[in-house]
Amino acid sequence: MFQYSRLSAQEVKDILNTGNFYGTTNIVGYGQAIVRILDYYLNLQQNTGSIQFLIYTPTEDIKIAVSIEDVMGWTPYTGPIPPQFGHQGGLPGGMGGQGYGQGQTFPSGGSQGTPGGWGTWGY
């Protein structure tokens, strides 16, 4: 959808209108993640706002609130909820990893995968 650009308030509104609150995105200061939108505040006139995400990780899920200016790109996520990390057909990590499910990919900003198929967070 919005692959590699900063999201505008209108783009966030368009994402919310689809009803699919799950996606993959890159959060400034964190890296690439599979997320669920929990809450949001948008000011369309000033193109500002914030989004509260639930970030799925292999060990524990993290709640984070960020400015929309810190959200880079959005691709709808349609895989299993919660995501299955480290299983056969797990998420790839750059050059490592094992592929994801049925032909889907989860590109990582890192250069090397880690055991179980999960890659670096793109630092």
Side-chain angles (χ1 to χ4, degrees):
M1 189 178 252
F2 308 105
Q3 290 282 331
Y4 300 106
S5 61
R6 278 205 165 126
L7 294 183
S8 69
Q10 182 61 51
E11 289 170 332
V12 173
K13 182 179 176 187
D14 293 345
I15 291 166
L16 296 168
N17 285 337
T18 68
N20 182 4
F21 296 98
Y22 298 91
T24 58
T25 190
N26 193 327
I27 301 168
V28 173
Y30 185 83
Q32 192 160 27
I34 299 173
V35 299
R36 181 178 85 196
I37 298 173
L38 298 175
D39 201 5
Y40 57 92
Y41 165 78
L42 300 174
N43 183 325
L44 297 174
Q45 284 74 31
Q46 294 183 357
N47 194 32
T48 60
S50 62
I51 304 174
Q52 182 181 27
F53 288 123
L54 179 65
I55 299 175
Y56 294 102
T57 74
T59 55
E60 65 180 312
D61 300 337
I62 302 167
K63 286 185 181 179
I64 185 173
V66 298
S67 168
I68 62 169
E69 296 171 353
D70 293 334
V71 180
M72 302 290 293
W74 181 269
T75 302
Y77 176 76
T78 58
I81 302 296
Q84 303 298 305
F85 299 99
H87 296 267
Q88 182 178 6
L91 301 171
M95 299 301 287
Q98 301 168 337
Y100 180 66
Q102 300 167 351
Q104 295 176 325
T105 61
F106 182 71
S108 172
S111 61
Q112 176 178 341
T114 56
W118 183 250
T120 60
W121 288 101
Y123 294 112

